[in-house]
Amino acid sequence: GLLYVPVMASLALDVLVNRPVSYNLASRTGIGSISYMGWATTLIQFPQGLVAIAISAAILPTLSRQAVQIGVQGLQPFKDTLGQGLRLAIVLIIPATVGLFVLAEPVVGMIFEHGKFTEVGTSITALALRLYLLGLPFAAIDLLLVFAFYAQQNTLTPALIGLVSLVAYMAVAFGLLPWYGLFALMIADSVKHLIHTGVSAWLLYRRLDGYGDQHLISTTLRASLAAAIMGVLAFGIAAALERALPAGLIRQTITVMLAGGVGVISFSVLASWLGLEEWRWLREILRRRLGMNGG
């Protein structure tokens, strides 16, 4: 119960302060702004849930057990588990971010552009989504860092970091609102995740006396290179289809399916070529799962 008090306080700040202020500011930027923000948020939550929440929930029991055994086994098992989770999250969230950034407009159009939702709504929602995406990699990594604190029965530190990042969000949102309108909120959200992740990573680094030899920077650079090449290929295919096909749902669907499919295949090839061990882990897990289902 005592451990839950800081968590409850953080949730209360989000529900009672962050969301009402965000909706209030959005409502000042024009008709439909709250809806645009909501649609973009819905799309950003999909990769975040699929990657960050799933991996965090998977490694938390192991981290918690290893945290209890630190006095006997030392910090290395805890660092190894956290490092594996971080590397896997990095390898998955970076290409997801790049792919969704490049294909933001056809994705938004394919899902939402029906009835009164017009091309203008697609453009605004896509831009809002892209600005949210700037903070997505940090949000994904940050969730694992927060769970690492939780595994050590430390819920106060993440709550205090959350308070600092919330103040930064408010400062950026209010400061940029006169110039950028609705999009100031997306920029502020990305800044919030950047600050929360940076502070969490630094404090956890000090708490664990370093992260050990986890190759986090190398993994990030290689995943970013593969994702960048993937993004260029997907962008080229999307641009070609935009010129070749008439506007509408059919073009949007074909663009998402074809450019997205080529993007996944190209990233897989590049990740293997660059020696991303985490991608091999994922392939082996999928292969075992498919083998089990086939049996």
Side-chain angles (χ1 to χ4, degrees), residues 71-123:
V72 178
Q73 298 181 347
L75 284 168
Q76 195 57 47
F78 187 92
K79 292 181 182 180
D80 289 342
T81 300
L82 177 60
Q84 289 177 350
L86 287 171
R87 282 168 15 227
L88 186 57
I90 288 168
V91 168
L92 291 175
I93 203 64
I94 290 179
T97 301
V98 172
L100 194 52
F101 189 95
V102 170
L103 300 176
E105 289 206 17
V107 167
V108 172
M110 182 183 71
I111 297 175
F112 298 119
E113 195 177 308
H114 311 290
K116 295 183 178 180
F117 195 111
T118 64
E119 292 183 3
V120 174
T122 295
S123 298

Side-chain angles (χ1 to χ4, degrees), residues 207-235:
R207 188 181 184 92
L208 298 177
D209 192 23
Y211 290 105
D213 189 19
Q214 298 297 332
H215 308 292
L216 295 176
I217 295 177
S218 173
T219 299
T220 302
L221 292 175
R222 284 180 289 165
S224 298
L225 176 60
I229 297 173
M230 176 205 75
V232 171
L233 290 174
F235 177 80

Side-chain angles (χ1 to χ4, degrees), residues 108-181:
V108 172
M110 182 183 71
I111 297 175
F112 298 119
E113 195 177 308
H114 311 290
K116 295 183 178 180
F117 195 111
T118 64
E119 292 183 3
V120 174
T122 295
S123 298
I124 296 174
T125 305
L127 180 53
L129 173 61
R130 284 177 171 136
L131 292 173
Y132 273 135
L133 285 168
L134 297 177
L136 178 59
F138 300 104
I141 294 170
D142 184 57
L143 190 58
L144 274 78
L145 299 176
V146 169
F147 273 43
F149 281 111
Y150 287 174
Q152 296 178 314
Q153 298 190 12
N154 181 353
T155 56
L156 179 60
T157 298
L160 294 175
I161 299 172
L163 180 60
V164 172
S165 63
L166 178 60
V167 172
Y169 171 85
M170 296 295 178
V172 174
F174 278 102
L176 296 182
L177 193 69
W179 288 276
Y180 296 100

Side-chain angles (χ1 to χ4, degrees), residues 252-272:
Q252 293 163 347
T253 304
I254 293 175
T255 300
V256 172
M257 298 298 291
L258 184 58
V262 170
V264 171
I265 294 172
S266 62
F267 182 83
S268 180
V269 172
L270 290 165
S272 300

